[in-house]
């Protein structure tokens, strides 16, 4: 290909990126003291039906988790916030929802068949298998088997993390396909079609949210590392030479997304990959790391994938995946910047980050201990709880009326079980921003309700007719 004209302003991102908390590739990963430990989060999630073991009645399936009503809502909210920021609010990113099963050659071109492996070792005493690079070590620094204490292991062998299955009734190599281990490849394979039909010009991106599967050797830390998960990935195609500026731009954008959703900046950091850690396709990668209770760990990877993927797919498919730029009468293969986040990891980080155990003064003046998820309103599974003071026949019709009034606008929960204090605690625990209480004064005197704010615990008396407006003014739902 002939040399390209120089990169100019129109190829570059709009504003210079801000300075972020960057650490060295080999930075210490020790988390230090935390507000909450993992056992507490796991217990809360199970007790409130947010997240629990898959197939639990059969003893569970390792590395697979089910999201109950509130967990599913939390996940939906994370995905909606991502799609809003990455697609809806931008003119330069379009969405894709590609099939999970793809032509098997995709994974040969991408390098996954050959190289998507982890080093697997087996304890020679109890045959338990481990990832060689994530072994537990004793005080002397020697790896040991946490199951039986054994210190002898087989030589590491490359274990491919892709799940395989078959299309159609025959189970032979000609019908073998892979469960996608990342959503990214569809954006490369569909690049030319999407670019043409959406009439986007470079620089532009294709974004996708969807399931990915990895046969992780050691799934661990609750929903942090699992075998079936969802990714939120965006491939941003840029002119070669403009890639480094766009890489910096997307690192800053993704940082802002987490902070905008209430994540505490002191629990986030940017860690560039060292040379040995870089994937085969990447010129540079940073991880956005979160201070999980177990360690600083990857929340999201942001990679400069160069033109590797488009070139490989062009080579393997025989189709032209270059881009023609009319203004300069030039043809080139775009470089790609990829912010790749996990839905489960994000949800876990938001849960951990918002968790508080507090001593608070209730409206009665009494000091009370409470657990509260100070989730951003946009992420909270329930936005408003409607609570009749009791199940008294006088209160129930009005409480139902209030719930029916709010339901078309907001996700509500009607709860009349237990004391009002207990019900407040229940809603605090799952992060519901507002509780609306219907009492005798409501039905006998003023047709007004008490609205309690989750964070300040302050209470306002609001006329039922004014309630939708009152809540709309206070709920930060990005609408
Ligand atoms: N397309 C690039 C890619 O897939 P990755 O760093 O392997 O990069 C991106 O994955 C994100 O997907 C990770 O930062 C993480 O949030 C999520 N992810 C990857 N493997 C996961 C697993 N086994 N369980 C849960 N989330 C995972």
């Amino acid at each position: 290909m002939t040399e390209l004209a120089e990169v100019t302003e129109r190829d570059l991102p709009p504003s210079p990126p801000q300075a972020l908390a960057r650490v060295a590739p080999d930075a210490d990963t020790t988390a230090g003291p935390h507000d909450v430990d993992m056992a507490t989060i796991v217990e809360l999630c199970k007790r409130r039906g947010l997240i629990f073991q898959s197939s639990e009645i059969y003893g569970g399936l390792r590395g697979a988790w089910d999201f109950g009503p509130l967990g599913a809502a939390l996940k939906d909210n994370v995905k909606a916030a991502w799609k809003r920021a990455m697609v809806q609010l931008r003119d330069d990113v379009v969405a894709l929802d590609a099939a999970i099963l793809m032509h098997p050659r995709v994974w040969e071109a991408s390098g996954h068949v050959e190289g998507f492996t982890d080093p697997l070792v087996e304890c020679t005493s109890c045959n338990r298998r481990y990832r060689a690079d994530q072994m537990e070590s004793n005080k002397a620094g020697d790896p040991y088997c946490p199951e039986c204490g054994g210190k002898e292991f087989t030589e590491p062998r490359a274990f491919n993390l892709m799940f395989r299955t078959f299309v159609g009734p025959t189970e032979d190599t000609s019908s073998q396909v892979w469960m996608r281990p990342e959503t990214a490849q569809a954006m490369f394979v569909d690049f030319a079609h999407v670019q043409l039909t959406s009439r986007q010009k470079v620089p532009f991106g294709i974004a996708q949210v969807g399931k990915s599967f990895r046969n992780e050797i050691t799934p661990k830390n609750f929903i942090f590392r699992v075998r079936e998960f969802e990714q939120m990935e965006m491939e941003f195609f840029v002119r070669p030479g403009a890639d480094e500026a766009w890489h910096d731009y997307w690192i800053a954008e993704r940082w802002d997304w987490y902070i905008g959703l209430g994540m505490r900046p002191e629990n986030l950091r940017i860690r560039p990959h060292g040379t040995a850690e870089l994937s085969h396709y990447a010129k540079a990668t940073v991880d956005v790391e979160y201070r999980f209770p177990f360690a600083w760990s990857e929340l999201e990877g942001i990679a400069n994938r160069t033109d590797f993927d488009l070139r490989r797919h062009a080579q393997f498919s025989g189709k032209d995946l270059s881009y023609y730029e009319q203004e300069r009468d030039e043809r080139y293969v775009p470089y790609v910047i990829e912010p790749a986040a996990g839905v489960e990891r994000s949800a876990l980080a938001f849960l951990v980050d918002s968790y508080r155990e507090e001593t608070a003064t209730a409206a009665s003046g009494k000091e009370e201990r409470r657990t509260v998820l100070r989730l951003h309103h946009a992420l909270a599974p329930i936005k408003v709880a409607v609570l009749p003071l009791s199940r008294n026949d006088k209160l129930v019709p009005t409480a139902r009326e209030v719930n029916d009034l709010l339901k078309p606008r907001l996700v509500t929960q009607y709860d009349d079980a237990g004391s009002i204090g207990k019900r407040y605690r229940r809603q605090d625990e799952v992060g519901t921003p507002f509780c609306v209480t219907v009492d005798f004064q409501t039905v006998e005197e003023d047709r007004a309700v008490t609205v309690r704010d989750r964070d300040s615990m302050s209470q306002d008396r609001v006329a039922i007719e004014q309630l939708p407006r009152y809540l709309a003014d206070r709920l930060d739902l990005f609408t």
Side-chain angles (χ1 to χ4, degrees):
M1 227 173 257
T2 51
E3 197 138 301
L4 294 180
E6 286 226 337
V7 165
T8 63
E9 211 174 302
R10 71 176 152 157
D11 305 307
L12 294 168
S15 54
Q18 71 215 42
L20 307 173
R22 280 179 184 263
V23 293
D26 59 352
D28 183 9
T29 59
T30 313
H34 228 284
D35 291 343
V36 62
D37 57 26
M38 286 302 291
T40 307
I41 292 287
V42 174
E43 189 277 329
L44 173 68
C45 287
K46 182 171 181 182
R47 183 164 47 78
R48 298 308 313 276
L50 277 111
I51 308 163
F52 40 89
Q53 187 72 62
S54 153
S55 326
E56 202 169 27
I57 61 168
Y58 289 100
L61 181 70
R62 220 168 147 229
W65 296 87
D66 290 349
F67 287 71
L70 300 181
L74 172 64
K75 242 172 100 169
D76 281 350
N77 294 341
V78 170
K79 290 185 277 184
W82 189 88
K83 284 184 198 169
R84 183 175 188 278
M86 300 295 279
V87 182
Q88 187 189 332
L89 294 182
R90 303 191 64 101
D91 295 326
D92 57 358
V93 180
V94 291
L96 179 71
D97 184 1
I100 288 174
L101 300 178
M102 299 179 79
H103 193 289
R105 291 274 285 165
V106 168
W107 307 107
E108 289 171 30
S110 67
H112 282 80
V113 170
E114 200 186 331
F116 194 54
T117 58
D118 276 338
L120 173 78
V121 293
E122 196 171 313
C123 169
T124 53
S125 309
C126 71
N127 301 112
R128 186 91 196 236
R129 289 167 177 181
Y130 298 100
R131 245 178 88 163
D133 56 341
Q134 289 183 355
M135 301 282 293
E136 306 230 353
S137 302
N138 60 19
K139 279 196 185 121
D142 299 321
Y144 73 99
C145 171
E147 195 71 10
C148 72
K151 290 196 193 94
E152 302 287 325
F153 298 93
T154 55
E155 280 300 309
R157 76 174 166 87
F159 172 75
N160 196 300
L161 300 186
M162 285 197 291
F163 283 100
R164 75 183 82 197
T165 187
F166 302 92
V167 286
T170 47
E171 295 198 357
D172 57 30
T173 45
S174 67
S175 62
Q176 183 185 290
V177 293
W178 306 98
M179 307 287 284
R180 69 179 178 201
E182 62 174 15
T183 60
Q185 292 305 320
M187 273 88 90
F188 304 126
V189 171
D190 293 348
F191 164 73
H193 194 98
V194 174
Q195 188 271 319
L196 199 70
T197 51
S198 64
R199 292 179 289 113
Q200 286 284 341
K201 289 180 176 171
V202 169
F204 82 100
I206 308 178
Q208 168 161 230
V209 176
K211 287 260 180 177
S212 292
F213 303 84
R214 295 183 189 180
N215 197 3
E216 298 283 358
I217 297 168
T218 44
K220 62 176 178 185
N221 291 323
F222 191 32
I223 54 169
F224 177 82
R225 177 171 295 113
V226 288
R227 292 188 169 129
E228 175 183 341
F229 54 99
E230 284 188 90
Q231 289 185 306
M232 307 180 282
E233 298 196 287
M234 198 271 290
E235 310 304 322
F236 199 77
F237 301 92
V238 304
R239 187 181 176 82
D243 50 304
E244 289 177 15
W246 278 107
H247 194 201
D248 286 343
Y249 169 87
W250 279 110
I251 295 167
E253 284 290 298
R254 296 302 304 145
W255 175 280
D256 287 348
W257 184 78
Y258 291 105
I259 301 299
L261 284 167
M263 205 164 267
R264 287 178 270 180
E266 62 270 27
N267 289 337
L268 274 185
R269 70 184 192 186
I270 300 292
R271 188 185 66 80
H273 284 198
T275 329
E277 201 184 346
L278 272 185
S279 304
H280 59 281
Y281 52 73
K283 170 174 161 186
T285 298
V286 305
D287 284 347
V288 180
E289 290 192 334
Y290 180 72
R291 194 171 69 89
F292 288 99
F294 44 87
W296 282 96
S297 304
E298 176 186 346
L299 190 52
E300 163 161 359
I302 307 170
N304 179 345
R305 295 184 76 123
T306 68
D307 55 2
F308 175 86
D309 303 272
L310 288 178
R311 280 196 189 282
R312 289 278 288 193
H313 286 301
Q315 183 194 338
F316 277 65
S317 68
K319 298 284 184 309
D320 182 9
L321 295 178
S322 63
Y323 171 77
Y324 176 66
E325 190 184 310
Q326 220 164 9
E327 290 86 345
R328 287 172 168 131
D329 188 23
E330 277 180 345
R331 185 168 280 286
Y332 57 85
V333 179
Y335 270 39
V336 174
I337 306 302
E338 174 192 71
V343 178
E344 286 77 3
R345 272 191 204 177
S346 300
L348 179 59
F350 285 122
L351 283 170
V352 167
D353 212 71
S354 64
Y355 184 96
R356 308 277 196 290
E357 285 175 18
E358 302 174 345
T359 306
T361 313
S364 61
K366 242 174 61 187
E367 294 267 286
E368 288 176 13
R369 289 287 295 166
R370 68 165 186 165
T371 296
V372 58
L373 292 185
R374 288 179 178 260
L375 285 170
H376 190 286
H377 295 174
L379 299 179
I382 304 163
K383 309 302 181 200
V384 183
V386 178
L387 318 172
L389 192 63
S390 72
R391 284 182 178 152
N392 187 292
D393 286 347
K394 269 191 170 175
L395 302 179
V396 169
T398 310
R400 287 280 176 202
E401 179 197 328
V402 169
N403 195 38
D404 289 347
L405 173 72
L406 299 178
K407 216 194 253 277
R409 301 169 169 91
L410 297 164
V411 178
T412 67
Q413 188 172 72
Y414 183 88
D415 184 6
D416 61 6
S419 74
I420 194 74
K422 264 205 183 123
R423 280 180 276 161
Y424 283 155
R425 298 291 94 93
R426 267 209 294 272
Q427 296 299 334
D428 285 345
E429 244 183 9
V430 296
T432 306
F434 291 101
C435 288
V436 170
T437 306
V438 173
D439 54 25
F440 288 99
Q441 198 182 328
T442 314
V443 289
E444 288 167 358
E445 291 175 32
D446 57 4
R447 274 191 64 78
V449 289
T450 302
V451 184
R452 172 185 176 273
D453 178 293
R454 175 195 71 195
D455 297 335
S456 66
M457 291 172 70
S458 64
Q459 303 199 352
D460 279 346
R461 196 79 188 161
V462 181
I464 292 176
E465 281 63 37
Q466 298 298 321
L467 194 54
R469 183 77 265 147
Y470 175 95
L471 291 168
D473 287 347
R474 284 158 184 80
L475 276 167
D476 181 7
L477 301 178
F478 295 142
T479 47

